[in-house]
């Protein structure tokens, strides 16, 4: 969980800034004033901008020369024509330079237009019902989407793999908590006060916009559309985009003013940015007396259950709990399709660990992984993400600790196994202001798609913040214990509530008051002691009762004593990987999508190259032609596939085999089984279009092995005879 757009660190808790090292603070102060030199990746774009500026200067100079020539009385027509020809040639060159720049700023790395690509993916996804705008017949609601049949299947495969890769592998304790959450829980966590985004309003119409989005859109628009932009100005806009998450409300407001950014729909002036809480409010029960919210994340359900989960785990650390469930955020202006929605599935892990020992026994398993990382220093100095070895990033301190590093490595393996392109995946460290003041270190797994780099998984070391916050608010100590082999002598605060006196005074509430007294911090307890010594009684706020109670001297004894300790009691730190499942799935759709040219006609076929692991259906079964024999064979195979638990689709429509292949390719089905004899069938692999011939008895087991990941298609090519001639109308 993260409090968004700096609401926590800069708006309300300026002390966090005072905790930053001076060097970083200086750098932040100058973050907006000094646009750094462009990164190597931006070098091509920069040189194209320079080339265009030079051509423009040449065109201007030649236009001036032509005008001057025409103004002179004794110049021959030939002379003027020659000068005009030069001008025309220069304009052609200028046009070509503008085109090159335009395609550099608005194309994918392969040169295709991002917009056209996105549209092709979206059309296919909507047409094949991967997703559907919710409540479509009533014209829908922004930021709400349904998953249709293949979308549901992909999502359930992603979640099944998540459970296998994380919950099973790490023996995590999975829980399932309600979405409706009482206010007190989200008050303790800080969401009620600080889960905000900065919003601006159109001063005339009152339409709301997210302030940082307006600034980002303005800078992106300038970079993509204003080809006359000087290289320095372009570098400035890029820099603003890269430090966007790090801007305070004031800095954001100042930039909106400096660029004279107006309401995008009306051109009216906009207000200064102000915070808007993203939670959907509700009340629990008919009386309206118990305020609540739809949870904005699943994590709090785990924190409030810590005590029981710790006990369930045999009072041992470290351990992790996990939860998959819906989260609700009333986004100011949802956009970018599935990427920013108002209800989405989160899969979250809370790994509880001793703050004094954040080593991880399985770190060696991931230490040699090498992938793109984008440390804070690189971002602040305008450099690009760089390939780093995970083990080195941890040992040199770029990543704060082994456990955090371990999860970064596991997240990398998870995403790439799903089919995310490793070259379009990077781990970006949070900038100092972006990170909550209590966090030790945070990294986002960002995936590049046609919308740019998108945060899909947040991986944060949140220290002991959450458990402490709930301990304080609830009065229930959410702590762990380390038993010493030898007792140790220490000076300790001892709080001994007198259960008898408290029982007489508070009857049924006695236990709650006892727990609240025991949960006092050292400072609170010593303050109470002083007041009791002075006045003999003191008012004490018990949050879990929602009121103050009067504590008398006879009810509690508080002292500092030298004690032999047999154990250490501490609040565990928590390392939290938080997965936005919808975002991962959307990026997977884009990374898997490609267009195949049809051989015969000038038609394009859409294909999703999903790995079998996530493919919505693992194979289709077609009889080659309409015949009773082949239909029966197909039904038999379908039965054996069901028995082997391989998801499949039987297509007996009798349309041409080519059309049927095209239909399943568009759903990303990896294998097609064509029944073309009574004893054997062909199996065709979607991307290579290679086919093997397999006996009818073996089909189900071959499919099972190759879709479960026990064997690869390559193994099958070795094992079974290749079917060389593709079926007559293969495309
Ligand atoms: P956060 O708690 O803000 O760090 O969010 C955790 C994860 O939830 C992010 O990494 C995103 O993948 C996902 N997420 C956050 N907000 C949205 C949203 N409005 N729509 C879809 N996914 C989101």
């Amino acid at each position: 969980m993260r409090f968004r757009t700096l609401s926590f660190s800069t708006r309300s808790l300026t002390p966090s800034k005072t905790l930053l090292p001076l060097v970083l603070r200086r750098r932040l102060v100058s973050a907006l004033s000094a646009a750094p030199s462009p990164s190597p990746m931006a070098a091509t774009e920069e040189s194209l901008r320079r080339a265009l500026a030079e051509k423009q200067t040449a065109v201007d100079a030649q236009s001036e020369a032509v005008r001057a020539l025409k103004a002179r009385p004794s110049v021959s027509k030939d002379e003027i024509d020659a000068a005009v020809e030069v001008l025309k040639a220069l304009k052609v060159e200028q046009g070509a330079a503008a085109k090159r720049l335009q395609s550099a700023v608005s194309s994918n790395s392969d040169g295709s237009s991002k917009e056209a690509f996105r549209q092709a993916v979206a059309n296919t996804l909507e047409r094949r019902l991967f997703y559907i705008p919710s409540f479509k017949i009533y014209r829908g609601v922004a930021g709400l989407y349904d998953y249709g049949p293949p979308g549901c299947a992909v999502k359930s495969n992603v979640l099944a793999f998540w459970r296998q890769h994380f919950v099973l592998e790490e023996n995590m304790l999975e829980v399932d908590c309600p979405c409706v959450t009482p206010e007190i829980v989200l008050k303790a966590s800080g969401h009620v006060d600080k889960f905000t985004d900065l919003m601006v309003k159109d001063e005339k119409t009152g339409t709301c916009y997210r302030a940082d989005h307006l600034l980002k859109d303005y800078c992106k628009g300038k970079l993509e559309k204003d080809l006359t932009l000087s290289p320095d100005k372009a570098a400035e806009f890029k820099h603003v985009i890269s430090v966007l998450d790090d801007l305070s409300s004031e800095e954001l407001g100042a930039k909106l003013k400096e660029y004279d950014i107006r309401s995008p729909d009306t051109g009216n002036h906009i207000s200064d940015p102000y915070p808007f809480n993203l939670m959907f409010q509700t009340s629990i029960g008919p009386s309206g007396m118990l305020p609540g919210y739809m949870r904005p994340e699943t994590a709090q359900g785990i924190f409030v259950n810590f005590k029981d989960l710790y006990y369930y785990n045999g009072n041992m650390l470290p351990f992790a709990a996990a939860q998959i469930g819906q989260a609700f955020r009333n986004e100011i202006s949802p956009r970018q399709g599935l990427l920013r929605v108002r209800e989405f599935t989160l899969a979250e892990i809370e790994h509880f660990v001793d703050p004094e020992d954040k080593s991880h026994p399985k770190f060696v398993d991931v230490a040699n992984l090498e992938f793109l990382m984008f440390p804070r220093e690189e971002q602040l100095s305008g450099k690009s993400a760089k390939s780093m070895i995970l083990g080195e990033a941890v040992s040199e301190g770029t990543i704060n600790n082994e456990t955090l590093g371990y999860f970064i490595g596991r997240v990398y393996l998870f995403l790439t196994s799903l089919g995310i392109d490793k070259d379009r995946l990077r781990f970006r460290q949070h900038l100092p202001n972006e990170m909550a003041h209590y966090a030790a270190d945070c990294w986002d797994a960002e995936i590049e798609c046609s919308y740019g780099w998108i945060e899909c998984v947040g991986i944060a070391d949140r220290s002991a913040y959450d458990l402490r916050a709930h301990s304080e608010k609830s009065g229930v100590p959410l702590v762990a214990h380390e038993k010493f082999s030898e007792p140790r002598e220490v000076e300790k605060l001892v709080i001994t509530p007198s259960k008898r006196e408290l029982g007489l005074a508070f009857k049924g509430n006695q236990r709650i008051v006892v727990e609240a007294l025991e949960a006092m911090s050292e400072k609170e307890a010593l303050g109470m002691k002083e007041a009791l010594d002075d006045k003999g009684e003191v008012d004490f706020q018990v949050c879990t009762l929602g009121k103050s109670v009067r504590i008398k001297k006879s009810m509690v004894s508080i002292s500092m004593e030298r004690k032999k300790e047999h154990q250490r009691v501490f609040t565990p730190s928590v390392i939290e990987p938080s997965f936005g499942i919808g975002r991962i799935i959307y990026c997977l759709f884009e990374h898997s999508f490609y267009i195949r040219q049809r051989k015969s006609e000038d038609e394009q076929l859409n294909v999703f190259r999903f790995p079998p692991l996530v493919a919505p259906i693992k194979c289709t079964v077609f009889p080659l032609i309409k015949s009773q024999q082949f239909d029966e064979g197909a039904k038999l195979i379908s039965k054996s596939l069901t028995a082997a638990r391989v998801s499949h689709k039987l297509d007996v429509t009798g349309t041409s085999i080519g059309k049927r292949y095209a239909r399943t390719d568009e759903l990303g089905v990896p294998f097609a089984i064509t029944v073309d004899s009574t004893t054997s069938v062909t199996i065709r692999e979607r991307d290579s279009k290679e086919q093997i011939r397999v006996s009818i008895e073996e089909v189900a087991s071959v499919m099972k092995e190759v879709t479960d990941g026990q064997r690869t298609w390559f193994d099958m090519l070795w094992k079974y005879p290749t079917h060389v001639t593709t079926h007559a109308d293969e495309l």
Side-chain angles (χ1 to χ4, degrees), residues 1-2 4 195 296-297 329 331 338-346 348 444-445 455-458 576 578-584:
M1 172 262 289
R2 165 178 349 154
R4 308 168 25 123
F195 193 62
E297 59 172 28
R329 299 184 185 181
E331 293 288 346
L338 295 181
L339 293 180
R340 186 165 299 284
V341 290
R342 286 177 164 144
E343 179 180 343
F344 53 96
T345 304
L346 270 179
E348 296 193 289
D444 286 342
E455 177 209 332
C456 290
V457 187
E576 176 192 78
S578 169
F579 299 70
I581 297 299
R583 287 195 182 174
I584 294 171

mmCIF file of all heavy atoms in Angstrom, residues 1-2 4 195 296-297 329 331 338-346 348 444-445 455-458 576 578-584, ligand 1:
data_model
loop_
_atom_site.group_PDB
_atom_site.id
_atom_site.type_symbol
_atom_site.label_atom_id
_atom_site.label_comp_id
_atom_site.label_asym_id
_atom_site.label_seq_id
_atom_site.Cartn_x
_atom_site.Cartn_y
_atom_site.Cartn_z
ATOM 1 N N MET A 1 0.836 -1.186 0.000
ATOM 2 C CA MET A 1 0.000 0.000 0.000
ATOM 3 C C MET A 1 0.878 1.245 0.000
ATOM 4 O O MET A 1 1.930 1.282 0.613
ATOM 5 C CB MET A 1 -0.866 -0.027 1.250
ATOM 6 C CG MET A 1 -1.652 1.222 1.480
ATOM 7 S SD MET A 1 -0.880 2.338 2.637
ATOM 8 C CE MET A 1 -1.087 1.471 4.175
ATOM 9 N N ARG A 2 0.396 2.216 -0.724
ATOM 10 C CA ARG A 2 1.161 3.449 -0.757
ATOM 11 C C ARG A 2 0.200 4.609 -0.657
ATOM 12 O O ARG A 2 -0.873 4.593 -1.214
ATOM 13 C CB ARG A 2 1.891 3.519 -2.090
ATOM 14 C CG ARG A 2 2.385 4.893 -2.304
ATOM 15 C CD ARG A 2 3.153 5.135 -3.516
ATOM 16 N NE ARG A 2 3.556 3.995 -4.237
ATOM 17 C CZ ARG A 2 3.771 4.100 -5.542
ATOM 18 N NH1 ARG A 2 3.611 5.225 -6.170
ATOM 19 N NH2 ARG A 2 4.173 3.057 -6.207
ATOM 20 N N ARG A 4 -0.771 8.094 -1.861
ATOM 21 C CA ARG A 4 -0.458 8.451 -3.214
ATOM 22 C C ARG A 4 -0.072 9.900 -3.381
ATOM 23 O O ARG A 4 -0.397 10.738 -2.597
ATOM 24 C CB ARG A 4 -1.656 8.117 -4.075
ATOM 25 C CG ARG A 4 -2.025 6.672 -3.788
ATOM 26 C CD ARG A 4 -3.294 6.235 -4.308
ATOM 27 N NE ARG A 4 -3.754 6.956 -5.419
ATOM 28 C CZ ARG A 4 -4.050 6.407 -6.570
ATOM 29 N NH1 ARG A 4 -3.809 5.151 -6.773
ATOM 30 N NH2 ARG A 4 -4.574 7.122 -7.515
ATOM 31 N N PHE A 195 -5.140 9.022 2.126
ATOM 32 C CA PHE A 195 -5.161 8.274 0.860
ATOM 33 C C PHE A 195 -5.782 9.174 -0.216
ATOM 34 O O PHE A 195 -6.959 9.035 -0.571
ATOM 35 C CB PHE A 195 -5.951 6.978 1.022
ATOM 36 C CG PHE A 195 -5.756 6.038 -0.119
ATOM 37 C CD1 PHE A 195 -4.508 5.519 -0.410
ATOM 38 C CD2 PHE A 195 -6.815 5.667 -0.926
ATOM 39 C CE1 PHE A 195 -4.319 4.657 -1.464
ATOM 40 C CE2 PHE A 195 -6.641 4.810 -1.993
ATOM 41 C CZ PHE A 195 -5.385 4.304 -2.262
ATOM 42 N N PRO A 296 -9.466 -0.019 0.078
ATOM 43 C CA PRO A 296 -8.681 0.401 -1.085
ATOM 44 C C PRO A 296 -7.524 -0.548 -1.365
ATOM 45 O O PRO A 296 -6.798 -0.393 -2.337
ATOM 46 C CB PRO A 296 -8.149 1.775 -0.653
ATOM 47 C CG PRO A 296 -8.063 1.682 0.832
ATOM 48 C CD PRO A 296 -9.114 0.720 1.299
ATOM 49 N N GLU A 297 -7.320 -1.520 -0.487
ATOM 50 C CA GLU A 297 -6.273 -2.541 -0.638
ATOM 51 C C GLU A 297 -6.636 -3.700 0.275
ATOM 52 O O GLU A 297 -7.499 -3.545 1.145
ATOM 53 C CB GLU A 297 -4.913 -1.960 -0.248
ATOM 54 C CG GLU A 297 -4.903 -1.451 1.186
ATOM 55 C CD GLU A 297 -3.537 -1.059 1.675
ATOM 56 O OE1 GLU A 297 -2.699 -0.672 0.856
ATOM 57 O OE2 GLU A 297 -3.302 -1.173 2.889
ATOM 58 N N ARG A 329 -11.062 2.016 -5.559
ATOM 59 C CA ARG A 329 -10.492 3.370 -5.467
ATOM 60 C C ARG A 329 -11.281 4.282 -6.390
ATOM 61 O O ARG A 329 -11.392 4.002 -7.594
ATOM 62 C CB ARG A 329 -9.013 3.370 -5.873
ATOM 63 C CG ARG A 329 -8.184 2.488 -4.959
ATOM 64 C CD ARG A 329 -6.704 2.545 -5.269
ATOM 65 N NE ARG A 329 -6.012 1.582 -4.416
ATOM 66 C CZ ARG A 329 -4.705 1.373 -4.413
ATOM 67 N NH1 ARG A 329 -3.930 2.072 -5.230
ATOM 68 N NH2 ARG A 329 -4.154 0.486 -3.611
ATOM 69 N N GLU A 331 -11.101 6.626 -8.426
ATOM 70 C CA GLU A 331 -10.130 7.386 -9.232
ATOM 71 C C GLU A 331 -10.771 8.664 -9.772
ATOM 72 O O GLU A 331 -11.927 8.662 -10.192
ATOM 73 C CB GLU A 331 -9.646 6.520 -10.399
ATOM 74 C CG GLU A 331 -8.819 5.315 -9.981
ATOM 75 C CD GLU A 331 -7.424 5.678 -9.488
ATOM 76 O OE1 GLU A 331 -6.991 6.820 -9.701
ATOM 77 O OE2 GLU A 331 -6.789 4.808 -8.861
ATOM 78 N N LEU A 338 -8.023 -0.761 -18.948
ATOM 79 C CA LEU A 338 -7.926 -1.615 -17.764
ATOM 80 C C LEU A 338 -6.845 -1.160 -16.790
ATOM 81 O O LEU A 338 -6.735 -1.700 -15.695
ATOM 82 C CB LEU A 338 -7.601 -3.052 -18.192
ATOM 83 C CG LEU A 338 -8.647 -3.800 -19.004
ATOM 84 C CD1 LEU A 338 -8.169 -5.198 -19.313
ATOM 85 C CD2 LEU A 338 -9.968 -3.876 -18.240
ATOM 86 N N LEU A 339 -6.056 -0.175 -17.181
ATOM 87 C CA LEU A 339 -4.913 0.176 -16.343
ATOM 88 C C LEU A 339 -5.294 1.021 -15.131
ATOM 89 O O LEU A 339 -4.662 0.943 -14.093
ATOM 90 C CB LEU A 339 -3.857 0.928 -17.154
ATOM 91 C CG LEU A 339 -3.161 0.111 -18.227
ATOM 92 C CD1 LEU A 339 -2.145 0.954 -18.963
ATOM 93 C CD2 LEU A 339 -2.469 -1.112 -17.620
ATOM 94 N N ARG A 340 -6.270 1.881 -15.284
ATOM 95 C CA ARG A 340 -6.676 2.695 -14.129
ATOM 96 C C ARG A 340 -8.181 2.563 -13.979
ATOM 97 O O ARG A 340 -8.948 3.170 -14.719
ATOM 98 C CB ARG A 340 -6.272 4.162 -14.325
ATOM 99 C CG ARG A 340 -6.549 4.992 -13.097
ATOM 100 C CD ARG A 340 -5.841 6.320 -13.151
ATOM 101 N NE ARG A 340 -4.389 6.163 -13.217
ATOM 102 C CZ ARG A 340 -3.601 5.826 -12.193
ATOM 103 N NH1 ARG A 340 -4.127 5.629 -11.004
ATOM 104 N NH2 ARG A 340 -2.302 5.702 -12.338
ATOM 105 N N VAL A 341 -8.597 1.733 -13.054
ATOM 106 C CA VAL A 341 -10.014 1.438 -12.897
ATOM 107 C C VAL A 341 -10.438 1.711 -11.454
ATOM 108 O O VAL A 341 -9.598 1.983 -10.594
ATOM 109 C CB VAL A 341 -10.308 -0.030 -13.291
ATOM 110 C CG1 VAL A 341 -10.170 -0.219 -14.778
ATOM 111 C CG2 VAL A 341 -9.389 -0.987 -12.559
ATOM 112 N N ARG A 342 -11.737 1.630 -11.220
ATOM 113 C CA ARG A 342 -12.228 1.989 -9.889
ATOM 114 C C ARG A 342 -12.452 0.767 -8.991
ATOM 115 O O ARG A 342 -12.662 0.902 -7.797
ATOM 116 C CB ARG A 342 -13.514 2.814 -10.027
ATOM 117 C CG ARG A 342 -13.178 4.225 -10.515
ATOM 118 C CD ARG A 342 -14.392 5.077 -10.746
ATOM 119 N NE ARG A 342 -14.034 6.482 -10.832
ATOM 120 C CZ ARG A 342 -14.630 7.361 -11.640
ATOM 121 N NH1 ARG A 342 -15.602 6.977 -12.446
ATOM 122 N NH2 ARG A 342 -14.256 8.617 -11.641
ATOM 123 N N GLU A 343 -12.445 -0.394 -9.595
ATOM 124 C CA GLU A 343 -12.486 -1.636 -8.814
ATOM 125 C C GLU A 343 -11.552 -2.619 -9.507
ATOM 126 O O GLU A 343 -11.641 -2.795 -10.726
ATOM 127 C CB GLU A 343 -13.913 -2.208 -8.779
ATOM 128 C CG GLU A 343 -13.945 -3.504 -7.999
ATOM 129 C CD GLU A 343 -15.322 -4.145 -7.909
ATOM 130 O OE1 GLU A 343 -16.331 -3.469 -8.166
ATOM 131 O OE2 GLU A 343 -15.355 -5.343 -7.570
ATOM 132 N N PHE A 344 -10.646 -3.230 -8.751
ATOM 133 C CA PHE A 344 -9.687 -4.129 -9.381
ATOM 134 C C PHE A 344 -9.241 -5.204 -8.405
ATOM 135 O O PHE A 344 -9.473 -5.098 -7.202
ATOM 136 C CB PHE A 344 -8.475 -3.356 -9.924
ATOM 137 C CG PHE A 344 -7.811 -2.467 -8.904
ATOM 138 C CD1 PHE A 344 -6.699 -2.900 -8.187
ATOM 139 C CD2 PHE A 344 -8.283 -1.191 -8.665
ATOM 140 C CE1 PHE A 344 -6.086 -2.075 -7.253
ATOM 141 C CE2 PHE A 344 -7.679 -0.361 -7.725
ATOM 142 C CZ PHE A 344 -6.580 -0.804 -7.022
ATOM 143 N N THR A 345 -8.613 -6.240 -8.984
ATOM 144 C CA THR A 345 -8.150 -7.347 -8.138
ATOM 145 C C THR A 345 -6.709 -7.114 -7.727
ATOM 146 O O THR A 345 -5.854 -6.861 -8.573
ATOM 147 C CB THR A 345 -8.254 -8.686 -8.898
ATOM 148 O OG1 THR A 345 -9.599 -8.834 -9.320
ATOM 149 C CG2 THR A 345 -7.860 -9.857 -8.032
ATOM 150 N N LEU A 346 -6.486 -7.190 -6.439
ATOM 151 C CA LEU A 346 -5.128 -7.089 -5.913
ATOM 152 C C LEU A 346 -4.720 -8.455 -5.368
ATOM 153 O O LEU A 346 -5.566 -9.184 -4.850
ATOM 154 C CB LEU A 346 -5.101 -6.108 -4.749
ATOM 155 C CG LEU A 346 -4.835 -4.635 -5.013
ATOM 156 C CD1 LEU A 346 -4.890 -3.866 -3.705
ATOM 157 C CD2 LEU A 346 -3.480 -4.428 -5.669
ATOM 158 N N GLU A 348 -1.895 -9.585 -2.688
ATOM 159 C CA GLU A 348 -0.893 -8.954 -1.817
ATOM 160 C C GLU A 348 -0.272 -9.963 -0.858
ATOM 161 O O GLU A 348 -0.928 -10.905 -0.405
ATOM 162 C CB GLU A 348 -1.530 -7.807 -1.024
ATOM 163 C CG GLU A 348 -2.010 -6.692 -1.941
ATOM 164 C CD GLU A 348 -2.345 -5.413 -1.208
ATOM 165 O OE1 GLU A 348 -3.370 -5.403 -0.507
ATOM 166 O OE2 GLU A 348 -1.612 -4.433 -1.348
ATOM 167 N N ASP A 444 9.136 -0.520 -7.690
ATOM 168 C CA ASP A 444 7.959 -0.899 -8.486
ATOM 169 C C ASP A 444 8.410 -1.725 -9.674
ATOM 170 O O ASP A 444 9.369 -1.351 -10.359
ATOM 171 C CB ASP A 444 7.257 0.342 -9.065
ATOM 172 C CG ASP A 444 6.489 1.093 -8.001
ATOM 173 O OD1 ASP A 444 6.216 0.503 -6.941
ATOM 174 O OD2 ASP A 444 6.179 2.279 -8.238
ATOM 175 N N ALA A 445 7.706 -2.837 -9.923
ATOM 176 C CA ALA A 445 7.922 -3.532 -11.197
ATOM 177 C C ALA A 445 7.093 -2.768 -12.220
ATOM 178 O O ALA A 445 5.872 -2.684 -12.088
ATOM 179 C CB ALA A 445 7.453 -4.971 -11.092
ATOM 180 N N GLU A 455 3.283 1.024 -13.584
ATOM 181 C CA GLU A 455 3.544 0.323 -12.327
ATOM 182 C C GLU A 455 2.556 -0.823 -12.183
ATOM 183 O O GLU A 455 1.348 -0.597 -12.149
ATOM 184 C CB GLU A 455 3.369 1.297 -11.150
ATOM 185 C CG GLU A 455 3.550 0.610 -9.815
ATOM 186 C CD GLU A 455 2.751 1.243 -8.686
ATOM 187 O OE1 GLU A 455 2.473 2.454 -8.748
ATOM 188 O OE2 GLU A 455 2.398 0.500 -7.762
ATOM 189 N N CYS A 456 3.071 -2.046 -12.126
ATOM 190 C CA CYS A 456 2.168 -3.197 -12.014
ATOM 191 C C CYS A 456 2.286 -3.906 -10.669
ATOM 192 O O CYS A 456 1.329 -4.501 -10.195
ATOM 193 C CB CYS A 456 2.438 -4.197 -13.137
ATOM 194 S SG CYS A 456 1.922 -3.539 -14.732
ATOM 195 N N VAL A 457 3.482 -3.874 -10.085
ATOM 196 C CA VAL A 457 3.668 -4.488 -8.767
ATOM 197 C C VAL A 457 4.489 -3.516 -7.919
ATOM 198 O O VAL A 457 5.509 -3.000 -8.390
ATOM 199 C CB VAL A 457 4.465 -5.822 -8.864
ATOM 200 C CG1 VAL A 457 4.501 -6.526 -7.512
ATOM 201 C CG2 VAL A 457 3.899 -6.738 -9.941
ATOM 202 N N GLY A 458 4.019 -3.255 -6.711
ATOM 203 C CA GLY A 458 4.820 -2.434 -5.786
ATOM 204 C C GLY A 458 5.453 -3.374 -4.773
ATOM 205 O O GLY A 458 4.774 -4.259 -4.242
ATOM 206 N N GLU A 576 6.222 -5.977 1.634
ATOM 207 C CA GLU A 576 4.917 -6.128 0.983
ATOM 208 C C GLU A 576 5.008 -6.055 -0.538
ATOM 209 O O GLU A 576 5.144 -4.979 -1.089
ATOM 210 C CB GLU A 576 3.990 -5.007 1.463
ATOM 211 C CG GLU A 576 2.633 -5.018 0.781
ATOM 212 C CD GLU A 576 1.835 -3.748 1.049
ATOM 213 O OE1 GLU A 576 2.130 -2.726 0.409
ATOM 214 O OE2 GLU A 576 0.936 -3.790 1.886
ATOM 215 N N SER A 578 2.831 -6.087 -3.768
ATOM 216 C CA SER A 578 1.407 -5.862 -4.019
ATOM 217 C C SER A 578 1.171 -5.839 -5.537
ATOM 218 O O SER A 578 1.699 -4.981 -6.245
ATOM 219 C CB SER A 578 1.057 -4.529 -3.365
ATOM 220 O OG SER A 578 -0.199 -4.105 -3.750
ATOM 221 N N PHE A 579 0.379 -6.814 -6.012
ATOM 222 C CA PHE A 579 0.239 -7.037 -7.460
ATOM 223 C C PHE A 579 -1.100 -6.524 -7.968
ATOM 224 O O PHE A 579 -2.152 -6.977 -7.488
ATOM 225 C CB PHE A 579 0.295 -8.537 -7.786
ATOM 226 C CG PHE A 579 1.580 -9.211 -7.397
ATOM 227 C CD1 PHE A 579 1.903 -9.414 -6.059
ATOM 228 C CD2 PHE A 579 2.454 -9.664 -8.367
ATOM 229 C CE1 PHE A 579 3.078 -10.051 -5.688
ATOM 230 C CE2 PHE A 579 3.638 -10.302 -8.009
ATOM 231 C CZ PHE A 579 3.946 -10.488 -6.668
ATOM 232 N N GLY A 580 -1.074 -5.610 -8.926
ATOM 233 C CA GLY A 580 -2.297 -5.182 -9.604
ATOM 234 C C GLY A 580 -2.555 -6.172 -10.740
ATOM 235 O O GLY A 580 -1.939 -6.104 -11.807
ATOM 236 N N ILE A 581 -3.465 -7.121 -10.487
ATOM 237 C CA ILE A 581 -3.640 -8.231 -11.432
ATOM 238 C C ILE A 581 -4.139 -7.732 -12.795
ATOM 239 O O ILE A 581 -3.660 -8.175 -13.847
ATOM 240 C CB ILE A 581 -4.593 -9.300 -10.826
ATOM 241 C CG1 ILE A 581 -3.959 -9.908 -9.565
ATOM 242 C CG2 ILE A 581 -4.948 -10.386 -11.836
ATOM 243 C CD1 ILE A 581 -2.628 -10.613 -9.776
ATOM 244 N N GLY A 582 -5.062 -6.767 -12.798
ATOM 245 C CA GLY A 582 -5.601 -6.255 -14.070
ATOM 246 C C GLY A 582 -4.526 -5.599 -14.918
ATOM 247 O O GLY A 582 -4.489 -5.762 -16.143
ATOM 248 N N ARG A 583 -3.643 -4.861 -14.260
ATOM 249 C CA ARG A 583 -2.570 -4.202 -15.016
ATOM 250 C C ARG A 583 -1.619 -5.232 -15.620
ATOM 251 O O ARG A 583 -1.191 -5.108 -16.765
ATOM 252 C CB ARG A 583 -1.777 -3.265 -14.094
ATOM 253 C CG ARG A 583 -2.558 -2.047 -13.752
ATOM 254 C CD ARG A 583 -1.655 -0.982 -13.164
ATOM 255 N NE ARG A 583 -2.474 0.173 -12.813
ATOM 256 C CZ ARG A 583 -2.026 1.221 -12.173
ATOM 257 N NH1 ARG A 583 -0.767 1.283 -11.798
ATOM 258 N NH2 ARG A 583 -2.825 2.237 -11.903
ATOM 259 N N ILE A 584 -1.289 -6.241 -14.829
ATOM 260 C CA ILE A 584 -0.379 -7.279 -15.341
ATOM 261 C C ILE A 584 -1.024 -7.941 -16.560
ATOM 262 O O ILE A 584 -0.393 -8.143 -17.597
ATOM 263 C CB ILE A 584 -0.077 -8.326 -14.248
ATOM 264 C CG1 ILE A 584 0.703 -7.674 -13.107
ATOM 265 C CG2 ILE A 584 0.685 -9.515 -14.809
ATOM 266 C CD1 ILE A 584 0.877 -8.544 -11.881
HETATM 267 P P1 LIG B 1 -0.554 0.811 -4.481
HETATM 268 O O1 LIG B 1 -1.174 0.311 -3.218
HETATM 269 O O2 LIG B 1 -1.036 2.172 -4.874
HETATM 270 O O3 LIG B 1 0.938 0.676 -4.504
HETATM 271 O O4 LIG B 1 -1.108 -0.148 -5.631
HETATM 272 C C1 LIG B 1 -0.758 -1.518 -5.699
HETATM 273 C C2 LIG B 1 -0.939 -2.004 -7.106
HETATM 274 O O5 LIG B 1 -2.313 -1.878 -7.457
HETATM 275 C C3 LIG B 1 -0.210 -1.172 -8.144
HETATM 276 O O6 LIG B 1 1.083 -1.665 -8.341
HETATM 277 C C4 LIG B 1 -1.067 -1.347 -9.372
HETATM 278 O O7 LIG B 1 -0.653 -2.483 -10.083
HETATM 279 C C5 LIG B 1 -2.458 -1.595 -8.826
HETATM 280 N N1 LIG B 1 -3.343 -0.423 -8.963
HETATM 281 C C6 LIG B 1 -3.326 0.697 -8.234
HETATM 282 N N2 LIG B 1 -4.316 1.522 -8.601
HETATM 283 C C7 LIG B 1 -4.970 0.918 -9.609
HETATM 284 C C8 LIG B 1 -6.096 1.257 -10.426
HETATM 285 N N3 LIG B 1 -6.765 2.392 -10.252
HETATM 286 N N4 LIG B 1 -6.501 0.391 -11.367
HETATM 287 C C9 LIG B 1 -5.864 -0.780 -11.542
HETATM 288 N N5 LIG B 1 -4.805 -1.164 -10.800
HETATM 289 C C10 LIG B 1 -4.356 -0.331 -9.845
#
